[in-house]
Amino acid sequence: MSKVELSRRGFLKSTLAATGAAMAGTAAHAGDIPEKWQQPKCSGWSWEKAAPKIAPEQIKKTVNTDVVVIGAGLAGFAAAQEGAKAVLVEKTRGWSCRGGHITAFNSSLQKKMGIDIDAAEIVRRLVAWGQGRMDERLLWMFARKCGDCMDWAIDIAGKHDTNVTLWEGYYKGPTYTEFPLTHFFYNKNINLDYTYGNSEGIGNVALMPCFEEELKKAGVTLMYRTPAVQFIQDANKRVTGLIAGRPNNYTQINAAKGVIIATGCYGSNEEMRKAFAPYSLHADAQIYFPTKSNTGDAHIMAMQAGGVMQKNDNHAATVHLEAGAGSYGFLHVNANGERFMNEDVNTQSKSCSKELQPHGIAWTVYDSNWTQDVKKQVDGNLAGGLFYGQMWQPWGNGWNVEIEKASQAQHIKDGKVVVADTLDELAQKMGVPVEALKATVTRYNELAAKGHDDDFGKRPELLTPIQKGPFYAGRLVSTLLAMSGGLHTDPSLHVLDKNDKPIEGLYVCGAAAGDYFGSGDYPTICPGMNHGRALTFGRLTGVMAAGGDIDKTVKSMEIK
């Protein structure tokens, strides 16, 4: 590839000249989209092909309803609650959910606990994190409505003996700070202790049955094992229904008011990730349940119906150290045994920076004082976050040493953590150069003794020395949890076309929706934001598709 050098002044001069010529020769019209802003195309993407025609004789049944919801997850179940006669279709055998951290601002629970949330400050930080590459109106919409939507979910859960608390393990550093926004549900009389990330009756798995029961009471038709296949559109391109099912046994579902896409992300569609989020392909592992069900089917259907994906490139991906060992705030080294970062950051940042290291390999290294060090940091409000603070650490309980020891023992058994009596042996088990690791540890201990990180600027209170065996090294494994970019949308919550116009009758919510996050990186300052917007926008989309007024149905928080 040839390299062309052009000075900044020359570039600006040529660009301005070209722009002036274009403006002189063409009159601008409202609604015209400059070619450079249109969604890029690459010949051969599967969604660029027209959807195959489905012969009438393959449609064996017709159902008439008001609203069709695609996807039996948190967003879909929230959307189907809102008053209209509804049918919900889901390609798998039942509802699904992941995790359970749910972001909400100024919920009744937070108010009860005396926790005051500065929603305006949080939104400003989210916009800054995404460098403005989103529709800010969606963030303000979420900020105003999410508290009432959480209270609504809490009320539903309460009818079914399901409780809620706040997560205490969020990160509390001075430069990187998370906020106490994270709610999680749990069944009555359940033990909130867990080992190795295994839990029962905690998280969204506790909330979803409550929602399903309410849907059944309301007469919502739940069609499991029924994949959505194609949208039905009238002569004006309005979506009027859906064809779902399997070849030679399709059902046509006519929707008088609209169709809602609530299918989750496209993380298991490698072609879509290559097109819209290539950096996500570097992740070591992927966790999603049901396995590989998030294949972007409805995204493709929407694009074939005239919709487009959000305009900013390299969609945000939620990538955490889920499949590896806990990272904490200890020394991190690469495959060469060298330190490469300030470890005082969130799990998302660690996952992304790790990928830039030789062979994408990194380890966290610590000594026998590790539990005392972590407990002091988490309980002392010095640090925290996922894979540092504990996954289901309920408010007021503190960091549980015994549970963490049990989890580490399982990590050692699985090979995610190696243990040795000497650094020489530890380096050999890690597969890194022995002398390099020993030199790195020596340097790190010198910085800890000095109380100042001359190399990477880490806070002195997190510079815990590595001196007393046994020594441990945990393998950091970047894990794709979800793609956090999706279909182009706006506060009407419709899917938009290439000219930013709504496709009437077609709505989108949850992880399938785009324009909420900026490019590349998922913002972790609000732990549980993916689930938070699934719950909030799921409910709002349900109200809007049913013809309701969200300002009359869902209370708005006054943001000062």
Side-chain angles (χ1 to χ4, degrees), residues 448-488:
K450 182 179 180 180
H452 191 275
D453 185 1
D454 297 335
D455 297 342
F456 291 97
K458 188 176 183 178
R459 284 182 285 158
E461 53 266 40
L462 301 185
L463 284 170
T464 53
I466 303 169
Q467 297 173 325
K468 182 182 178 182
F471 301 101
Y472 303 90
R475 180 70 177 266
L476 304 184
V477 180
S478 60
T479 310
L480 177 66
L481 303 182
M483 293 308 308
S484 300
L487 289 162
H488 189 24

Side-chain angles (χ1 to χ4, degrees), residues 190-206:
I190 202 74
N191 185 351
L192 289 178
D193 290 344
Y194 74 104
T195 302
Y196 195 43
N198 294 322
S199 60
E200 183 177 343
I202 309 175
N204 289 339
V205 71

Side-chain angles (χ1 to χ4, degrees), residues 248-265:
N248 298 313
N249 190 26
Y250 290 123
T251 297
Q252 178 171 322
I253 309 172
N254 299 319
K257 294 185 175 181
V259 177
I260 300 173
I261 297 172
T263 51
C265 76

Side-chain angles (χ1 to χ4, degrees), residues 346-364:
N346 61 83
T347 187
Q348 175 89 14
S349 296
K350 290 179 182 182
S351 295
C352 295
S353 61
K354 180 196 79 70
E355 296 304 334
L356 301 177
Q357 298 307 302
H359 311 294
I361 293 174
W363 299 81
T364 178

Side-chain angles (χ1 to χ4, degrees), residues 270-302:
E270 193 165 308
E271 181 190 20
M272 293 183 72
R273 287 168 59 195
K274 183 178 180 180
F276 302 114
Y279 195 78
S280 72
L281 297 171
H282 292 280
D284 298 321
Q286 181 183 4
I287 293 178
Y288 201 88
F289 182 81
T291 305
K292 296 190 183 243
S293 63
N294 55 334
T295 47
D297 306 358
H299 297 76
I300 293 173
M301 290 165 52

Side-chain angles (χ1 to χ4, degrees), residues 67-71 73-84 86 88 152 211 215 220 260-262 509 534-546:
V67 173
V68 179
V69 179
I70 312 173
L74 182 59
F77 270 15
Q81 303 274 351
E82 287 303 323
L88 187 148
W152 170 77
F211 275 1
L215 292 177
V220 174
I260 300 173
I261 297 172
C509 60
L535 174 65
T536 296
F537 287 110
R539 186 185 181 201
L540 296 179
T541 306
V543 173
M544 296 171 79

Side-chain angles (χ1 to χ4, degrees), residues 31 37 51 102 149 175 202 216 234 253 301 397 432 461 477 545:
W37 291 347
I102 306 176
C149 289
T175 52
I202 309 175
K216 290 178 178 178
D234 63 17
I253 309 172
M301 290 165 52
N397 279 27
V432 305
E461 53 266 40
V477 180

